[in-house]
Amino acid sequence: MKKGWDVKVVIPSSQKSWIGKAYQIKDIIKGARKNITTHEATFSDPFPIQGVYYYPKAPDGKGETSEFSRPLKEGEVGEWILLDGTPATCTNIALHNLYPGQIDLVVSGPNYGRNASSSFVLSSGTVGAALSACLARKRAIALSFGNFRGVPQEGLVDSANALAAKIVQKLWEGWGKDDEGIRNGEVDLYNVNIPIVNELLQPGGLEVLWTRVWRNNYGQLFKQKEVGKKFEATAEAGPDAPPEPTSSIKSSSDSELPETPNALVFHFEPQLDALVNPPLETLPHGSDGWALHYRKASVTPLRGSFAEPPIESLRLATESGAEGLEPGREFKL
């Protein structure tokens, strides 16, 4: 779907899931310069990008990497800059160092995995990059695709991308108001979740709703290593990401870990079933988790202060009147 947008892409060179809005302040942030060559790569493969610049081609995203910026070749859709940094770092460097004064809107994502509910939102590198943008006084949208067990992604992601583009366009044209927003009385940022489900292919498309954040919680996230036992590998993209090939899942080498009883060695192994598949009675009506459960897309206004704006933010600036403003109301495209 062509929108006529002038798009600049600056992204981490490797997975940075569950890192929130972190800046690794002691790191020197560089372009990814391991084994620099110009070669064919597929961005959807694990860690394929070894250059500073990446030049994808339609329709499958395959392209070349290069150590230096160069003019686009035939069929290339753009130039992506890859940095050895967090999502929030990429946002800040893009806004202030690479493209100062050139960016009107930051879209972070799409992340392949839900970022609905406080447990995921507050851990999300995708939302963290959008927060980084809003604190730089830029409009920002975090975009995530929620996965469902037993639902194949093939054929659905293009429809999800098309819906995402419509939502982004609608938000841009009618950005909501928040009198206490840090940028000219506007909503600071939006968090958008689109479920990857077969309903995306229906003639009427997927229903989109205004929502609030489901305020939930999680418990133990890490497991201590037991003597003589190996860790179970965790997907690099996080526990709610699509399944990855076994070869792409990383874990610490067991030979590097101590075998001393009670050694302080822990592995990220969260128990998130109650968050991904919660009992229906725990889901507040009109929350992002509730919308995802019912396979509906959600648009959630947020503030750059670990808070949500007032109920009036659940509408576009182009809409008038306060009657009927409540979580779960339709977001009209």
XYZ file of all heavy atoms in Angstrom, residues 108-116 124 126-127 142-146 191-196 292:
173
model
N 7.223 2.690 15.644
C 8.096 1.644 16.169
C 7.425 0.291 15.935
O 6.351 0.026 16.442
C 8.341 1.867 17.661
O 9.126 0.823 18.199
N 8.069 -0.561 15.142
C 7.497 -1.864 14.851
C 7.317 -2.052 13.357
O 7.883 -1.309 12.562
N 6.549 -3.072 12.947
C 5.758 -3.925 13.837
C 6.599 -4.964 14.563
O 7.487 -5.573 13.992
C 4.771 -4.620 12.882
C 5.500 -4.660 11.567
C 6.325 -3.405 11.518
N 6.275 -5.132 15.840
C 6.853 -6.195 16.644
C 6.026 -7.460 16.433
O 4.797 -7.412 16.434
C 6.823 -5.807 18.127
C 7.369 -6.897 19.011
O 8.560 -7.178 19.011
N 6.492 -7.534 19.793
N 6.683 -8.597 16.246
C 5.970 -9.851 16.077
C 5.787 -10.508 17.442
O 6.583 -11.323 17.875
C 6.692 -10.753 15.084
C 6.520 -10.253 13.673
C 7.403 -9.324 13.143
C 5.449 -10.661 12.898
C 7.240 -8.828 11.854
C 5.265 -10.168 11.609
C 6.163 -9.259 11.096
O 5.985 -8.760 9.830
N 4.735 -10.119 18.106
C 4.410 -10.521 19.462
C 3.616 -9.406 20.102
O 3.853 -8.220 19.821
N 2.673 -9.746 20.947
C 1.784 -8.737 21.526
C 2.524 -7.794 22.458
O 3.511 -8.164 23.104
C 0.651 -9.429 22.291
C 1.083 -10.065 23.603
C -0.018 -10.922 24.177
N -0.300 -12.052 23.292
C -1.415 -12.763 23.332
N -2.364 -12.468 24.198
N -1.576 -13.785 22.514
N 2.047 -6.576 22.525
C 2.465 -5.617 23.547
C 1.213 -4.986 24.138
O 1.039 -3.773 24.144
C 3.416 -4.569 22.975
C 4.836 -5.081 22.899
O 5.362 -5.615 23.874
N 5.461 -4.960 21.741
N 0.332 -5.864 24.604
C -0.903 -5.465 25.264
C -0.813 -5.878 26.722
O -0.300 -6.947 27.029
C -2.107 -6.133 24.590
N 8.442 -3.687 26.949
C 8.578 -3.715 25.496
C 9.624 -2.755 24.951
O 9.577 -1.552 25.212
C 7.220 -3.388 24.867
O 7.343 -3.120 23.497
N 9.682 -2.194 21.775
C 8.901 -1.497 20.757
C 8.243 -0.258 21.345
O 8.329 0.838 20.775
C 7.831 -2.447 20.181
O 8.473 -3.619 19.671
C 7.043 -1.780 19.084
N 7.571 -0.420 22.485
C 6.964 0.729 23.156
C 8.056 1.671 23.663
O 7.907 2.893 23.627
C 6.054 0.265 24.305
C 5.478 1.468 25.062
C 4.917 -0.601 23.766
N 3.550 2.923 18.671
C 4.133 1.584 18.822
C 3.162 0.594 18.193
O 1.963 0.623 18.479
C 4.358 1.255 20.295
N 3.680 -0.288 17.358
C 2.846 -1.199 16.585
C 3.294 -2.641 16.818
O 4.472 -2.962 16.638
C 2.953 -0.849 15.095
C 2.247 -1.755 14.093
C 0.745 -1.744 14.315
C 2.581 -1.299 12.672
N 2.355 -3.501 17.214
C 2.681 -4.901 17.492
C 1.627 -5.817 16.896
O 0.443 -5.475 16.849
C 2.774 -5.145 19.005
O 3.763 -4.312 19.596
N 2.079 -6.995 16.471
C 1.201 -8.025 15.919
C 1.121 -9.169 16.920
O 2.130 -9.830 17.206
C 1.730 -8.542 14.581
C 1.692 -7.535 13.451
C 2.395 -7.762 12.280
C 0.959 -6.360 13.559
C 2.361 -6.852 11.231
C 0.912 -5.442 12.528
C 1.616 -5.677 11.358
N -0.076 -9.430 17.456
C -0.264 -10.479 18.442
C -0.449 -11.841 17.789
O -1.183 -11.976 16.809
N -0.338 3.110 21.450
C 0.099 1.725 21.372
C -0.958 0.939 20.607
O -2.121 0.860 21.024
C 0.277 1.137 22.777
C 0.850 -0.258 22.753
O 1.687 -0.582 21.900
N 0.431 -1.100 23.686
N -0.573 0.368 19.465
C -1.504 -0.337 18.582
C -1.151 -1.819 18.564
O 0.013 -2.188 18.358
C -1.442 0.230 17.145
C -2.327 -0.580 16.204
C -1.855 1.702 17.141
N -2.154 -2.675 18.795
C -1.979 -4.123 18.721
C -2.947 -4.699 17.695
O -4.154 -4.420 17.749
C -2.238 -4.772 20.085
C -1.050 -4.674 21.015
O -0.152 -5.522 20.996
N -1.034 -3.626 21.828
N -2.419 -5.486 16.768
C -3.232 -6.132 15.737
C -3.023 -7.644 15.844
O -1.895 -8.121 15.706
C -2.834 -5.643 14.330
C -3.103 -4.135 14.201
C -3.578 -6.423 13.254
C -2.643 -3.549 12.881
N -4.084 -8.398 16.104
C -3.924 -9.856 16.177
C -3.737 -10.462 14.791
O -4.391 -10.053 13.831
C -5.229 -10.323 16.818
C -6.228 -9.269 16.454
C -5.468 -7.975 16.388
N -2.845 -11.421 14.698
C -2.635 -12.145 13.436
C -3.613 -13.314 13.421
O -3.320 -14.402 13.921
C -1.176 -12.623 13.315
C -0.226 -11.435 13.403
C -0.973 -13.366 11.997
C -0.396 -10.416 12.305
N -7.661 -8.106 22.405
C -6.851 -9.142 21.771
C -7.486 -10.523 21.968
O -7.476 -11.361 21.064
C -5.438 -9.109 22.346
C -4.315 -9.697 21.487
C -4.206 -8.982 20.153
C -2.989 -9.620 22.227
